[in-house]
Every structure is written in C-alpha cells, then in structure tokens.
Amino acid sequence: MTLRELEYLVAVADTGHFGRAAAACNVSQPTLSMQIRKLEDRLGVVLVERTNRRVAMTAAGERVAAQARRVLAEAREIATLAKALRAPLSGPLHIGLIPTLAPYMLPWAIPALRKTYPALMAVVHEEMTGQLLGRLAAHTLDIACLALPVQNARLTTVPLFDEAFLFACHRTSPLAKVRRVDPAELASENLLLLSEGHCFRDQALAVCGLTAARGRAVADFSATSLETLKQLVAGNTGSTLLPAMAAQDVPARGPIVLKPLADGGARRIGLVWRASHPHGGEFAGLAAALRRAAPAVVRAVNR
C-alpha cells in the first residue's frame, strides 16, 4: 500500500463523500475511487460502504483509517525531521496557547521567535488545555504553551516563567484599601470566574481555598474571557483574580484596583511537546528565547 492510498482513505472518512474527498486530495473522483478499491483488494476487507445516496465507513474502514492517520502523521514528521536537519526550526510550527495566555503573550513572544528563528512560521491555535493536549496526542499540534503541571509520560514539559495572581476589585470595595489581600478573605467576596473548562478557573478557586462543588465564592455569572471579567469588575459587578500579564493594561486611576495576594499566589507557565517530536531537541532553545523576551511582570524560570 502507498501513503497516497491512505491519504485518500482518510479523506473519505473525514468528508463522507467521494467528490469532496477527491477535491481535498486534488484528484478526480474516479481516480480516488479506484485507489480505494485497490487498497480494499490488497487488504482483503471492505473499507467503504457505497450506496447511491451516501458513503459510509465500515467498522474495518474506521479502524484502518484511524491507523492511517497515525501513519500519515509519522510520515509528515519524517519530512519535518529532514527539514530540521537542513535548517533548524524553519517552516510552519503549530503552536497552541490557552485563552488566558494567548492575548497577553503573543505580542512579545511572536517577535522574539521571529528574531531568533527568521525562517520559522508560527501557526497559532488558541484553545483550552484539554483540547491542546488532545491535539498534541493527535499530532495536529507541535507544541503548546499552558499552565503546569501536565502529567503525561509521553510529553516533555519545560517551565518558562511564573506569573503572579492579582486581586482585582472595584475602587469602592473595602479590600481596595488594604495593602495585600489574604486569600482567606475572598471566601466572602462575589468572585467572578471564567466558565468551566478554563484551567484558570480551577486555579482561582484553589488560591481561594475553594472547590467548584463548594462554590460559595463563585458569582452567578461566569465569563468566557479575562477581558469580560475586567469589564464586569469595572462596572462594580464583583471582584476577580487576574494573571499579571492580563492586568498590565488596567489604568492606575481607573475604577479597577489591583492588589497582590498575601501568599504570593502564582501559576507556572511552560512549553509542552511530544517526547517523540523530531524538533524536541530544538524546543529547549525556543524556550530559552521566550524566557529572555518575557516581560518584567513575570519571573523567568531558569532550568
């Protein structure tokens, strides 16, 4: 069998249609259909169920297509490895970031990467932690930047920096007058949080000594972004916790007051990639470039 035949099979499985699969593979429909037939004859199993109205994968076809995706991913990594041997970290690199990090890190991280690796083309994906880890496992992402720790023996993790949490409240709040906020005091606050699925929500609850089940400090409203939380605090709807980079643009004389936490609560941000990735040996250098470029509001973690 050939990689091309496997590519055709995966395209049919993904699109559920011979015509769309052929278009995706830039071949004619008869050519694609004939190659699928050849693959079936070679394997001795029916992979695709054909009717006048629809195309469906058989149980065998689903299993073979799943394995074909892995084979094609490995083949792409061979090509990537060969390119890496010619020029380190050149061409497209798919980088994932969590939503509470991407808007605040990308403005300084991308220029730093371009300076260090001028031939690198960063392709950015902004998704939550679970989705990024799934994409790493599926080989559709090269590297991810997220909050540590990540427990997975198949992944390599390298710390970048520690980012402090700041308490954000309205200027009229009693806590706006204290020097440092004791996290224990937040149990009685109308604490605004991100919606479930964001790792920062769990981190904020942990800082306050709460759990989602107890939730006595959780406001009725859950936001989908830190920017929304800031607007709600400015409108005196409640208070929240913000990572340091997200708090940089809060005006000093505006309605939001920022206070450090008495226990110095923070999150550790790091890079994560598959241990088998062909660029794995070079990602440590990429991490070093990001540490050098990190703003003063975070503390670089040197290995």
Side-chain angles (χ1 to χ4, degrees):
M1 72 188 73
T2 66
L3 291 177
R4 180 65 69 184
E5 290 171 346
L6 297 182
E7 180 184 346
Y8 292 162
L9 179 67
V10 169
V12 172
D14 289 343
T15 63
H17 191 275
F18 276 113
R20 288 192 291 269
C25 296
N26 294 314
V27 296
S28 67
Q29 182 172 332
T31 296
L32 181 137
S33 181
M34 180 180 65
Q35 293 299 317
I36 295 292
R37 288 282 191 190
K38 285 184 178 180
L39 181 60
E40 290 177 319
D41 291 342
R42 186 175 290 113
L43 296 177
V45 293
V46 176
L47 303 174
V48 181
E49 180 183 348
R50 303 162 177 84
T51 68
N52 292 333
R53 295 185 177 181
R54 60 191 293 270
V55 173
M57 304 299 292
T58 64
E62 292 286 359
R63 295 183 63 179
V64 172
Q67 183 65 36
R69 289 187 183 91
R70 291 189 285 270
V71 171
L72 291 171
E74 293 290 345
R76 287 192 295 270
E77 291 200 354
I78 291 174
T80 301
L81 175 59
K83 184 180 293 185
L85 295 173
R86 297 194 301 270
L89 289 184
S90 61
L93 185 73
H94 290 263
I95 304 173
L97 294 96
I98 53 178
T100 58
L101 192 61
Y104 317 106
M105 183 174 173
L106 288 175
W108 57 263
I110 294 299
L113 294 181
R114 286 175 177 166
K115 181 179 180 181
T116 308
Y117 305 101
L120 180 69
M121 182 178 70
V123 182
V124 176
H125 306 266
E126 182 180 337
E127 293 178 289
M128 289 188 280
T129 298
Q131 295 167 307
L132 293 179
L133 294 176
R135 295 194 63 171
L136 283 172
H139 293 231
T140 59
L141 202 62
D142 295 301
I143 194 167
C145 191
L146 41 76
L148 302 180
V150 173
Q151 305 296 336
N152 189 320
R154 296 183 178 181
L155 298 177
T156 297
T157 63
V158 173
L160 293 178
F161 53 81
D162 290 332
E163 184 179 22
F165 296 144
L166 298 173
F167 176 70
C169 64
H170 193 268
R171 189 164 294 279
T172 59
S173 169
L175 290 178
K177 299 178 176 61
V178 303
R179 184 179 178 185
R180 292 179 179 272
V181 174
D182 185 342
E185 297 179 85
L186 302 184
S188 59
E189 282 288 302
N190 186 34
L191 195 65
L192 301 167
L193 299 173
L194 293 177
S195 56
E196 291 189 15
H198 289 271
C199 61
F200 187 71
R201 173 189 176 92
D202 298 329
Q203 293 160 357
L205 287 171
V207 166
C208 302
L210 299 173
T211 65
R214 289 171 62 192
R216 53 190 170 89
V218 181
D220 291 336
F221 185 87
S222 293
T224 58
S225 74
L226 293 176
E227 295 305 307
T228 300
L229 290 183
K230 286 192 280 188
Q231 293 299 320
L232 291 169
V233 174
N236 203 16
T237 303
S239 57
T240 193
L241 293 180
L242 293 174
M245 286 192 293
Q248 289 183 97
D249 63 349
V250 174
R253 299 183 180 276
I256 300 177
V257 174
L258 299 171
K259 295 291 179 179
L261 298 178
D263 65 353
R267 65 176 178 175
R268 176 157 291 186
I269 299 299
L271 287 181
V272 181
W273 63 86
R274 292 184 305 281
S276 61
H277 198 288
H279 279 310
E282 300 169 66
F283 287 155
L286 186 149
L290 292 176
R291 289 192 203 97
R292 290 193 298 269
V297 294
V298 301
R299 184 174 63 85
V301 179
N302 295 314
R303 301 191 72 189

